[in-house]
């Protein structure tokens, strides 16, 4: 067992609620000693953290599907870690776990906190740490249950997914192809679009950065028979453009609205929402935590796809806890290529 008395935990805490894009001034950098686990508790060393667009919403005060991070609290983040001290029979030193670790080097969990933090052992034979934060992690679960439960894809239907090169988008598109659908992605930049088509197997990908009418023209060219399912990760004008192309009984999954998260004015809703009425279509929001009791089923299915080469998993890994403020911004500047992962320590 590691001598905890020799360890110092470096942490990043929310110092002030951001207006617009968060800056380094919104964070405080603190240290504290690593204590021995309380009865029934464990201590986990953080290996890698998942950086996700939802983190921007967690910084805002106000009612949401999850309480906001409090001022002075360690920033919320899911991750993969290794148990280095345990007073709990269910966890042994050396176990690799997924959990809500927070943006810090070490996370300590009292026994009642273990379940709340979603601490669960994982098998690295099923996938790498990056894959457990991507296809086998929260983004993959979001893509799986959003598409399968809300989208209910049928063979031959046309599926459009925005943020196609991101963590959720890459899972949605590949899964839709496996289920026999035609898949059109929307992503930013020629390199991402080429990767989505040539590596992930999408039928087409629209580069929204190619010009002011790129999305409208791309949807017209690649969705000549309309859109049956739209998996929305970005909101804003792209959502409106897709709504103009939906078919009767279309399903729109509202997963996120990354184009709106850092606005200093209120989020703008869709202007083309009456297309839902005309087409008897359905738009439904989804929060991945609602499906937690079924994660194991989706993990088993998609681990099989990874093993069989039917699904790929791309991660954009940045090293160093202290880079967190700048690394997080890659999500909102469109700089990340694949699932954004912050590597805190080696295995």
């Amino acid at each position: 067992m590691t001598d905890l008395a020799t360890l110092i935990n470096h942490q990043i805490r929310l110092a002030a609620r951001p207006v617009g894009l968060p800056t380094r001034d919104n964070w405080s950098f603190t240290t504290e000693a690593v204590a021995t686990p309380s009865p029934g508790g464990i201590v986990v060393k953080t290996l890698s953290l998942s950086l996700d667009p939802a983190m921007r919403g967690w910084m805002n005060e106000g009612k949401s599907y999850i309480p906001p991070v409090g001022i002075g609290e360690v920033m919320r983040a899911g991750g993969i870690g290794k148990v280095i001290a345990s007073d709990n029979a269910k966890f042994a030193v050396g176990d690799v776990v997924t959990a809500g670790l927070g943006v810090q080097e070490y996370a300590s969990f009292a026994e009642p906190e273990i379940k709340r933090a979603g601490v669960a052992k994982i098998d690295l034979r099923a996938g790498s740490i990056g894959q457990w934060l991507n296809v086998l992690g929260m983004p993959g679960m979001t893509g799986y249950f959003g598409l399968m439960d809300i989208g209910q894809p049928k063979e031959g239907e046309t599926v459009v997914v925005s943020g196609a090169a991101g963590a959720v988008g890459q899972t949605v598109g590949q899964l839709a192809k496996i289920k026999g659908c035609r898949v059109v992605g929307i992503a930013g930049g020629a390199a991402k679009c080429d990767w989505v088509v040539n590596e992930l197997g999408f039928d087409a990908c629209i580069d929204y950065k190619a010009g002011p009418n790129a999305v409208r023209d791309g949807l017209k060219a690649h969705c000549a028979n309309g859109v049956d399912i739209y998996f929305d990760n970005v909101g804003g004008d792209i959502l409106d453009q897709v709504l103009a192309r939906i078919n009767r009984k279309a399903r729109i999954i509202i997963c996120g609205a990354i184009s709106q998260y850092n606005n200093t004015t209120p989020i703008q809703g869709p202007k083309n929402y009456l297309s839902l009425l005309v087409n008897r279509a359905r738009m439904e929001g989804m929060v991945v935590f609602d499906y937690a009791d079924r994660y194991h089923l989706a993990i088993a299915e998609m681990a099989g796809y990874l093993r069989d080469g039917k699904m790929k998993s791309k991660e954009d890994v940045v090293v160093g806890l202290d880079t967190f403020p700048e690394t997080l911004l890659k999500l909102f500047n469109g700089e990340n290529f694949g699932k954004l992962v912050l590597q805190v320590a080696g295995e």
Side-chain angles (χ1 to χ4, degrees):
M1 186 178 293
T2 304
D3 183 2
L4 301 184
T6 66
L7 301 178
I8 297 295
N9 186 19
H10 293 83
Q11 304 168 312
I12 298 181
R13 298 174 180 268
L14 185 63
R17 302 205 181 278
V19 177
L21 283 169
T23 69
R24 188 165 272 265
D25 291 339
N26 293 117
W27 309 104
S28 61
F29 301 80
T30 62
T31 59
E32 66 178 29
V34 178
T36 57
S38 58
I42 60 174
V43 178
V44 178
K45 176 183 179 180
T46 303
L47 299 178
S48 290
L49 294 172
S50 175
L51 303 192
D52 301 289
M55 296 172 81
R56 179 61 186 85
W58 300 342
M59 300 176 210
N60 294 335
E61 196 165 24
K63 184 179 179 181
S64 186
Y65 63 88
I66 191 170
V69 176
I71 300 298
E73 291 181 355
V74 174
M75 181 58 196
R76 181 184 295 137
I80 303 295
K82 182 175 287 187
V83 177
I84 60 170
S86 176
D87 191 61
N88 190 302
K90 295 180 180 179
F91 297 93
V93 171
D95 283 345
V96 180
V97 298
T98 178
L101 298 175
V103 185
Q104 56 185 345
E105 290 181 309
Y106 301 93
S108 297
F109 301 99
E111 186 172 24
E113 297 171 333
I114 290 174
K115 183 175 182 180
R116 287 200 300 270
V119 183
K121 287 187 281 190
I122 64 170
D123 185 353
L124 292 181
R125 292 173 298 181
S128 66
I129 286 176
Q131 289 170 335
W132 274 101
L133 291 175
N134 192 5
V135 173
L136 303 180
M138 187 173 72
M141 300 302 98
T142 301
Y144 183 93
F145 290 107
L147 179 66
M148 299 305 296
D149 275 45
I150 301 175
Q152 299 178 6
K154 301 174 184 63
E155 188 172 354
E157 289 189 320
T158 295
V159 176
V160 174
V161 55
S162 55
V168 174
Q170 61 179 273
T171 295
V172 171
Q174 292 181 94
L175 187 59
K177 285 298 296 180
I178 289 169
K179 301 301 180 181
C181 298
R182 173 176 171 77
V183 180
V184 177
I186 302 173
K192 290 182 179 180
C193 286
D194 288 346
W195 177 74
V196 162
V197 172
N198 297 324
E199 293 294 324
L200 299 188
F202 286 42
D203 295 284
C205 189
I206 300 164
D207 178 5
Y208 72 83
K209 293 183 177 180
N213 297 319
V215 174
R216 184 194 67 187
D217 294 344
L219 290 169
K220 185 177 180 180
H222 299 299
C223 305
N225 296 320
V227 176
D228 299 296
I229 299 172
Y230 175 48
F231 198 107
D232 185 28
N233 290 304
V234 302
D237 183 62
I238 290 177
L239 172 57
D240 268 323
Q241 296 285 356
V242 178
L243 284 173
R245 303 288 306 181
I246 61 173
N247 289 328
R248 183 170 291 199
K249 296 294 185 181
R251 289 82 73 200
I252 295 91
I253 301 103
I254 303 297
C255 174
I258 197 169
S259 71
Q260 306 285 301
Y261 289 159
N262 295 292
N263 285 359
T264 55
T265 56
I267 290 178
Q268 298 299 308
K271 298 171 184 172
N272 282 342
Y273 75 94
L274 283 179
S275 181
L276 299 171
L277 182 156
V278 172
N279 292 290
R280 291 76 155 174
R282 173 167 52 86
M283 181 185 289
E284 184 173 340
M286 71 90 58
V287 174
V288 68
F289 306 125
D290 294 343
Y291 303 90
D293 62 340
R294 293 164 55 202
Y295 285 176
H296 65 287
L297 300 174
I299 289 169
E301 182 176 337
M302 292 201 290
Y305 296 147
L306 287 171
R307 183 181 61 248
D308 297 341
K310 293 181 179 179
M311 187 173 280
K312 297 181 180 181
S313 175
K314 182 178 178 63
E315 294 78 45
D316 186 338
V317 180
V318 179
V319 179
L321 185 73
D322 61 329
T323 71
F324 169 75
E326 291 74 31
T327 301
L328 182 66
L329 296 184
K330 292 182 70 171
L331 291 168
F332 307 110
N333 296 331
E335 295 177 20
N336 63 299
F337 197 157
K339 171 75 191 83
L340 187 58
V341 173
L342 184 67
Q343 182 179 322
V344 177
E347 292 184 54

